[in-house]
Amino acid sequence: MLVFGTQVHIVTFLFMIAEGILFLIESVIYAIAPDKRRGWYLVLLTLLLLYNVTGGLFPDPKINISISLQEMIAYGTGFLMASYFPFYFYKAFDLKSLRWHALFGVPLFLMLPYLLFFVIMYAINEDLEKDIRYGVIAPFIYSLVLLWVMLRAIRKHYRENRDRSYYIEELAVYCAVSPWAAMTVLSWFQVSQLTEVLCTNTGFLFISAMFIRRSILLHRLEKRLYWGQAPFQNDLVKVEANCKRHNLTRKETEISGMVCQGMIYRDIADKLFISPRTVDKHIENIFEKVGVTNRVELARKLNGL
């Protein structure tokens, strides 16, 4: 079933509406409390929406754009979306081992085949079926390599940090992007728009809902901190051990323990006989070393939750 006399399937249209709403919610949350993971995820949602729009609308003879150009754009947004995944994991989750793939592997094995077969060759021979047959070979093989490399990077990150919450989040996003490895196969067999959109979109709705739920939880815990209440039942031995693991200084460890107990920065400054500005500087260094952006994440991570 198509909508508004276009080539867009009703299911694709519903995904577009849902993802548009999630994008607005995520944008508002990001504006209130900037978070690098959410920022990179907003880029991911933007690319997903672009992919759904172009993949749903094109090719359509009623649109005043040549069919060949429509096909190039539609396949291009799909390749662009898939190419962003390694960069997203590299930046959002700080998986440094993915740097080569994010910056060099993707242009070589995903974007170059797209430009060669879906742009240059297609513009010359106008035989899309033939270009798909040869153009997806390298991307298919490389997509399997990427899935393996990203999973290894996630596992390595967990072994080094033992942060179960982030580990679950990374695995959830990984599961959402994994079906994109089948995109080359779907292109080869030229499956229906419905099959394609269900395969590529379903996981992202779950991930967005999980991120929103996490934001609500963090907001509630932040309120507890604001009122001077510890957000968690602190394990002081574990907190000190994690401070040592993140190479915090003695003073930073002391301040971190006070933050975990729910003390506000002004009270910490009074207790340590230092200025609030000095506390702010210590907090900034602590956040950078531990890899967090707010007090709740710090307390959670130092408690190993």
Side-chain angles (χ1 to χ4, degrees):
M1 181 180 176
L2 306 180
V3 296
F4 307 127
T6 67
Q7 300 294 320
V8 180
H9 193 282
I10 182 64
V11 176
T12 305
F13 181 67
L14 292 175
F15 269 115
M16 289 163 58
I17 292 176
E19 287 158 3
I21 294 172
L22 289 171
F23 178 84
L24 290 175
I25 295 173
E26 294 281 0
S27 297
V28 170
I29 296 174
Y30 180 77
I32 295 173
D35 179 288
K36 71 172 184 177
R37 285 184 177 84
R38 177 162 281 107
W40 293 118
Y41 188 70
L42 281 171
V43 176
L44 194 64
L45 274 181
T46 302
L47 293 176
L48 184 61
L49 281 166
L50 181 62
Y51 164 77
N52 285 333
V53 170
T54 57
L57 288 175
F58 300 155
D60 187 344
K62 297 192 294 290
I63 298 177
N64 191 27
I65 302 176
S66 68
I67 294 297
S68 58
L69 182 56
Q70 290 186 43
E71 294 282 15
M72 290 178 190
I73 294 172
Y75 279 98
T77 55
F79 271 90
L80 184 61
M81 179 75 179
S83 298
Y84 180 68
F85 293 145
F87 187 82
Y88 172 74
F89 277 93
Y90 166 54
K91 283 293 187 179
F93 298 114
D94 199 28
L95 301 182
K96 293 182 174 59
S97 59
L98 294 179
R99 183 177 184 274
W100 187 89
H101 292 278
L103 300 182
F104 305 105
V106 162
L108 282 173
F109 300 111
L110 288 182
M111 296 311 298
L112 185 59
Y114 162 73
L115 291 173
L116 181 60
F117 289 96
F118 292 84
V119 178
I120 298 174
M121 293 302 297
Y122 182 44
I124 295 173
N125 59 30
E126 295 187 354
D127 187 348
L128 182 61
E129 186 175 339
K130 179 180 179 181
D131 295 329
I132 290 174
R133 192 180 310 126
Y134 295 105
V136 300
I137 295 175
F140 173 68
I141 296 172
Y142 187 61
S143 65
L144 297 180
V145 172
L146 276 180
L147 285 179
W148 172 245
V149 169
M150 288 192 296
L151 184 59
R152 285 186 60 188
I154 291 171
R155 289 289 299 161
K156 179 183 178 183
H157 192 240
Y158 175 64
R159 287 195 298 269
E160 292 175 350
N161 293 276
R162 293 296 175 184
D163 192 319
R164 184 174 177 80
S165 177
Y166 283 160
Y167 180 54
I168 293 174
E169 184 176 314
E170 290 166 358
L171 283 180
V173 178
Y174 177 82
C175 290
V177 306
S178 294
W180 279 79
M183 277 298 295
T184 50
V185 178
L186 298 180
S187 298
W188 180 289
F189 290 104
Q190 298 187 33
V191 299
S192 67
Q193 184 183 144
L194 176 60
T195 302
E196 186 176 320
V197 77
L198 287 173
C199 179
T200 55
N201 282 259
T202 306
F204 290 99
L205 295 182
F206 170 76
I207 297 301
S208 294
M210 183 184 75
F211 282 176
I212 292 171
R213 177 182 176 276
R214 175 173 169 266
S215 297
I216 294 172
L217 177 61
L218 288 175
H219 177 68
R220 289 175 178 173
L221 294 175
E222 185 70 30
K223 286 179 66 176
R224 293 192 64 183
L225 276 174
Y226 178 80
W227 293 106
Q229 301 172 347
F232 307 104
Q233 185 67 39
N234 289 293
D235 184 335
L236 297 181
V237 174
K238 186 176 289 186
V239 169
E240 289 187 9
N242 283 324
C243 286
K244 184 177 181 180
R245 185 163 60 84
H246 288 288
N247 298 315
L248 300 189
T249 65
R250 184 174 60 81
K251 181 64 70 177
E252 289 169 350
T253 299
E254 188 176 12
I255 291 174
S256 297
M258 293 178 182
V259 171
C260 290
Q261 294 169 25
M263 293 182 62
I264 61 176
Y265 297 166
R266 184 177 62 253
D267 291 343
I268 293 175
D270 292 342
K271 185 169 184 177
L272 296 179
F273 302 103
I274 57 179
S275 70
R277 187 171 182 177
T278 301
V279 173
D280 289 340
K281 184 60 179 177
H282 280 304
I283 291 294
E284 182 181 331
N285 293 335
I286 292 168
F287 283 0
E288 183 176 352
K289 288 182 179 180
V290 181
V292 296
T293 57
N294 58 62
R295 296 180 298 170
V296 174
E297 288 186 351
L298 176 67
R300 181 183 57 76
K301 199 163 186 177
L302 292 183
N303 276 280
L305 300 174

